[in-house]
Amino acid sequence: MYFIHKASSINCQKAYQHDNIFRDLITPEDYLMLEEVDYKSLIPPAALRRMSTILKNSLCAAHQLKTEQDFDAIIVGTGLGCLQDTEKFLKTIHISQTETLSPTAFIQSTHNTIAGQISLALNNHGYNMTHTQHTFSFEVALMDAMQAVDDGMNQVLLGAAEEYIPFLDRLSDVVIPHDYPLSQGVSFFNISKTPAQIGITSIQFFNFKNPEEIRKVIHDTHADLLIYNGAKDESIHVKNQVNISQFTGFYLSNSAFAMHVGYDYLKNNPLANKVIIWNNLSQNHQSILVIERK
Amino acid sequence: MILITGQGVISALGVNVNENWAHLQQEKSAIKKGIQSFSSPYLVGQIELSNEELKQLAQVDGDYSRTALLGMIAARESFASHEIHPEIRTGFISGTSVGGMDLTEGEYKNYLTENETDRLETYKQHSSGIAAYQIAQLLGATDFINTISTACSSAANAIMLGARLIENNQLDRVIVGATDALSLFTISGFRSLMIYDSEWCAPFDERRKGLNLGEGAGFIVLESEKSQKITQSKVLGLLSGWCNASDAFHQTASSPDGQGAVLSMQGALKRANLKPEQIDYVNAHGTATPNNDLSESHALKQIFKEIPPFSSTKAYTGHTLAASGGIEAVFSLLAIEHQCLLPNLNFQNPIEETGLMPVQKLVYEQNIKHVLSNSFGFGGNNSSIIISKY
């Protein structure tokens, strides 16, 4: 079994170190306005100055989930990775006339900077992995976390992170059609085989599959709450439904925040037992994640 | 037992396994002056085919990044003797560090310097997971699709994840490896770090100055015994060990004593249930950067009382970043098939501090049962796999 021991998110909701997130979800006025976090108490100032938004937030969330035991694995999923530094380095190489280029942006542009920086901050020598699979980036990382637990790793830090840059607005209609404004956020979890109140039951992937198959799985699950992030499906009859993108805005791994909200919902609603997180951002690639009271 | 039942590779040495093997036997580097405008000032391991020519080779048409096209060619070769079967859950796990950057960087230049005349459609190929969807769909291997992005250890990590998914009975068969195209972004990146050699790279040599980048893709097919009974595919070798560990020393540099590398090699040996002296050949990471080769040498000395024959094949192909562990997994299989040791080209003098001598000539008639292959990436991401004779 895979139990969720703790969760930590930073995005436009009131989520960081809060309880009852589900109850307090609000449609934000500004999807890009991140919840204020005291970075300085967790990250040394010299390092903080060089860090992009995605790195700062991921490190804060990871610090929040630290336990006395070292993590056996640090597993991160990200759809587009460290965009601020990627764009910065692109600008440098196209515009800079000088022979010497500053390497900082390049160093921090790779997707695995996030998991790498966490391992550095925590002085962690364990399994360190970074997944990127467009709208599935969180789910494939979660799949790896489940394998890690099955392989005998007991303390797994699992997270997903996404960063906004203004350039993305230009691509809004052509490249990334979406119903809610572009935004950003990170969500991290402690996953362990040590029993806790709420656990992950299953994750199923549907690549290039018929929507009927997916509807059937959702109906057969009999969940108390369905959280999805793409288009509403009128033929799905689950009484309690939430579109998480309405609250987070659109970013590729916002289903990670959906799991945080589902976890929080089960914690605070003792009569509820099961939540489905249906990632339907993409038409061709959808997944169904079930979390449950154990 | 994880069986290896397919292999495919494209690199500067050639567009398939046979061409790569033929070129390896010539003991000549394929690194030369770049032919694209951004690569022309540098020595690179490039595939001398345009994207249009690669599309013909991959038998596809449409918008694809070079990274995706290279991946299609190598992945398809690895899966050529296989078929999709309703009882066999087949997945595809790729790795990449640049994704669609080869296209993005060009469009972004138009945006910056040509009055925002960039073609927006092109950016659809940027997201690093897109190539995996395209390749998986081409092969019909869609039961699980994933991309690993841990810089230069991506392929090794994709191989490792595939093995774990088979072991944990999530998949029966999986195509694993990685792909990366040359880009201005990465050439400039390694130049900014002052570790791009303007001469031919010389792994494990005292006078080494840095790497030459290359491009390519390498994939292998992993299969459970149960699955292989159904497919009856030819077994090329076994994946007997794997491990990933974090160096947690520096974002780009390796620790002087190679702690992460020691942990990953130890872990792989333990998983394979092998003693260090049972390793017959080490295909080292050996990027030819001053830092990597020294750190890896120290790590090798800590693991092995007597250092087994070892070499870096990056002086042949250039450092193909994410793809390197996939390409080198195929080279490891070739070393087993032909019972030979692959040479470390351009070597003259050992590193003074460690004194290790790599294999310098291709030698046949060896007894190669177990090959250890190292892949170390940015972020202190260290991975080792062991491929064994079947």
Side-chain angles (χ1 to χ4, degrees):
Chain A
M1 282 314 284
Y2 322 96
F3 296 98
I4 307 172
H5 281 255
K6 228 173 155 188
S8 181
S9 295
I10 300 171
N11 58 16
C12 59
Q13 291 294 315
K14 255 183 147 21
Y16 186 68
Q17 292 183 292
H18 290 286
D19 200 22
N20 246 323
I21 297 166
F22 177 77
R23 188 195 61 198
D24 297 338
L25 286 175
I26 46 156
T27 305
E29 275 173 40
D30 180 357
Y31 283 92
L32 288 172
M33 184 69 87
L34 287 166
E35 185 179 358
E36 231 168 271
V37 169
D38 181 18
Y39 296 117
K40 284 192 205 118
S41 65
L42 295 167
I43 305 170
L48 193 58
R49 268 196 301 278
R50 286 194 303 270
M51 274 184 194
S52 59
T53 314
I54 197 169
L55 287 181
K56 280 191 284 202
N57 290 331
S58 299
L59 273 173
C60 270
H63 272 294
Q64 216 52 52
L65 300 183
K66 256 188 322 196
T67 59
E68 276 168 25
Q69 255 183 298
D70 282 345
F71 290 116
D72 300 307
I74 295 170
I75 302 171
V76 174
T78 178
L80 291 169
C82 304
L83 285 177
Q84 284 178 8
D85 280 309
T86 302
E87 191 179 30
K88 206 185 212 174
F89 196 65
L90 270 175
K91 280 192 175 139
T92 310
I93 59 181
H94 285 316
I95 295 174
S96 168
Q97 303 294 329
T98 58
E99 255 299 286
T100 46
L101 307 167
S102 159
T104 311
F106 176 66
I107 290 169
Q108 297 193 155
S109 71
T110 60
H111 286 8
N112 73 322
T113 309
I114 305 164
Q117 285 286 337
I118 296 173
S119 77
L120 274 173
L122 304 182
N123 191 26
N124 184 290
H125 292 281
Y127 179 79
N128 195 281
M129 205 47 59
T130 301
H131 298 261
T132 176
Q133 197 49 52
H134 209 54
T135 62
F136 267 177
S137 300
F138 170 61
E139 283 75 7
V140 289
L142 177 107
M143 182 78 168
D144 189 4
M146 290 162 77
Q147 306 315 303
V149 171
D150 285 342
D151 293 344
M153 301 186 201
N154 193 31
Q155 295 283 339
V156 177
L157 178 69
L158 163 70
E162 227 66 62
E163 188 167 67
Y164 166 85
I165 51 170
F167 184 80
L168 288 179
D169 292 328
R170 299 183 67 242
L171 313 181
S172 256
D173 303 325
V174 188
V175 181
I176 28 177
H178 50 94
D179 299 326
Y180 293 96
L182 293 169
S183 64
Q184 56 188 343
V186 308
S187 293
F188 280 76
F189 305 89
N190 270 21
I191 308 290
S192 167
K193 63 171 181 279
T194 308
Q197 222 185 342
I198 292 141
I200 298 160
T201 304
S202 61
I203 170 99
Q204 273 179 277
F205 292 92
F206 302 87
N207 286 303
F208 311 104
K209 290 275 167 72
N210 187 328
E212 277 309 320
E213 244 179 276
I214 298 166
R215 288 184 195 124
K216 186 173 180 324
V217 174
I218 291 176
H219 286 135
D220 290 351
T221 305
H222 304 290
D224 300 284
L225 172 66
L226 168 66
I227 311 179
Y228 61 96
N229 55 358
K232 186 171 173 61
D233 184 338
E234 298 295 344
S235 57
I236 285 177
H237 311 290
V238 175
K239 207 173 117 205
N240 209 357
Q241 293 191 32
V242 171
N243 183 343
I244 203 69
S245 296
Q246 181 191 337
F247 301 105
T248 60
F250 175 95
Y251 57 91
L252 287 176
S253 52
N254 70 358
S255 55
F257 185 65
M259 182 160 109
H260 187 170
V261 169
Y263 165 72
D264 175 85
Y265 171 83
L266 288 174
K267 251 188 2 190
N268 292 295
N269 292 278
L271 295 178
N273 286 312
K274 219 186 255 184
V275 176
I276 296 178
I277 291 108
W278 175 31
N279 182 342
N280 65 336
L281 274 184
S282 150
Q283 275 193 337
N284 286 328
H285 307 281
Q286 303 196 357
S287 65
I288 292 173
L289 163 65
V290 180
I291 62 171
E292 214 168 325
R293 184 182 307 286
K294 300 294 175 184
Chain B
M1 204 158 54
I2 308 288
L3 308 173
I4 302 172
T5 59
Q7 58 179 342
V9 64
I10 179 166
S11 77
L13 297 174
V15 299
N16 54 41
V17 174
N18 283 341
E19 281 190 27
N20 272 265
W21 171 236
H23 200 140
L24 281 169
Q25 289 176 88
Q26 291 168 16
E27 300 182 57
K28 271 193 207 134
S29 173
I31 295 168
K32 40 179 114 151
K33 203 169 164 296
I35 49 171
Q36 288 156 293
S37 60
F38 70 84
S39 62
S40 59
Y42 313 107
L43 289 170
V44 288
Q46 69 214 323
I47 293 149
E48 291 179 336
L49 294 170
S50 68
N51 284 9
E52 286 311 312
E53 289 167 318
L54 288 175
K55 278 182 201 172
Q56 281 173 17
L57 197 59
Q59 300 164 336
V60 292
D61 197 19
D63 257 11
Y64 296 106
S65 67
R66 189 168 174 88
T67 302
L69 293 168
L70 296 175
M72 284 173 186
I73 292 161
R76 189 184 257 155
E77 184 188 19
S78 76
F79 204 57
S81 66
H82 286 260
E83 279 171 9
I84 289 303
H85 189 288
E87 281 167 48
I88 302 174
R89 293 164 298 172
T90 306
F92 178 75
I93 307 173
S94 188
T96 188
S97 65
V98 298
M101 183 55 85
D102 60 287
L103 296 177
T104 299
E105 62 187 19
E107 289 305 338
Y108 195 81
K109 189 177 184 190
N110 292 335
Y111 162 72
L112 276 181
T113 62
E114 304 291 330
N115 297 319
E116 305 192 4
T117 53
D118 48 339
R119 176 178 170 265
L120 299 181
E121 277 283 326
T122 306
Y123 297 111
K124 278 189 179 168
Q125 310 303 322
H126 179 78
S127 176
S128 290
I130 297 298
Y133 281 146
Q134 292 164 341
I135 302 166
Q137 197 176 9
L138 194 72
L139 304 179
T142 58
D143 289 316
F144 180 70
I145 304 171
N146 192 5
T147 306
I148 302 277
S149 191
T150 55
C152 313
S153 54
S154 302
N157 288 331
I159 292 169
M160 192 177 314
L161 179 64
R164 290 162 60 221
L165 288 165
I166 290 176
E167 273 215 326
N168 294 334
N169 194 26
Q170 301 290 329
L171 289 173
D172 305 302
R173 180 174 60 174
V174 57
I175 301 123
V176 288
T179 174
D180 255 337
L182 273 171
S183 70
L184 172 66
F185 193 89
T186 42
I187 291 179
S188 306
F190 286 99
R191 281 186 56 240
S192 76
L193 287 163
M194 312 276 189
I195 49 174
Y196 203 109
D197 198 341
S198 55
E199 300 292 317
W200 276 267
C201 71
F204 295 106
D205 191 286
E206 176 62 23
R207 75 200 146 92
R208 74 202 178 284
K209 288 204 281 298
L211 47 73
N212 306 136
L213 284 183
E215 63 181 351
F219 286 90
I220 58 175
V221 181
L222 304 180
E223 218 175 333
S224 71
E225 288 170 274
K226 194 185 99 202
S227 169
Q228 193 271 340
K229 280 210 179 84
I230 300 170
T231 63
Q232 289 295 312
S233 26
K234 188 180 167 200
V235 181
L236 306 173
L238 302 174
L239 185 71
S240 50
W242 55 83
C243 182
N244 165 275
S246 187
D247 199 31
F249 172 73
H250 185 270
Q251 182 57 33
T252 52
S254 304
S255 57
D257 60 347
Q259 191 185 357
V262 168
L263 288 172
S264 72
M265 285 191 275
Q266 263 170 358
L269 284 164
K270 193 177 163 208
R271 178 65 193 64
N273 203 11
L274 290 173
K275 294 192 192 78
E277 55 269 30
Q278 287 175 280
I279 296 295
D280 303 301
Y281 167 56
V282 178
N283 187 297
H285 188 53
T287 56
T289 63
N291 172 250
N292 176 82
D293 293 8
L294 180 62
S295 172
E296 190 172 7
S297 296
H298 278 302
L300 287 168
K301 287 181 96 163
Q302 285 171 73
I303 294 287
F304 298 100
K305 252 188 260 158
E306 211 173 300
I307 305 282
F310 76 98
S311 65
S312 161
T313 44
K314 287 187 174 68
Y316 272 108
T317 57
H319 186 0
T320 57
L321 300 178
S324 63
I327 292 172
E328 287 157 27
V330 174
F331 291 179
S332 300
L333 284 165
L334 288 171
I336 290 173
E337 182 188 343
H338 300 284
Q339 292 288 291
C340 69
L341 299 170
L342 298 169
N344 188 106
L345 304 178
N346 303 340
F347 178 83
Q348 286 176 1
N349 301 301
I351 299 172
E352 273 174 25
E353 206 178 316
T354 54
L356 297 189
M357 301 284 282
V359 177
Q360 291 169 64
K361 279 267 150 223
L362 192 107
V363 250
Y364 297 97
E365 292 176 23
Q366 300 292 301
N367 185 11
I368 315 263
K369 285 198 195 107
H370 305 287
V371 179
L372 173 79
S373 175
N374 283 336
S375 298
F376 307 143
F378 271 15
N381 201 285
N382 295 52
S383 297
S384 301
I385 61 169
I386 297 172
I387 293 178
S388 300
K389 195 176 165 189
Y390 180 62

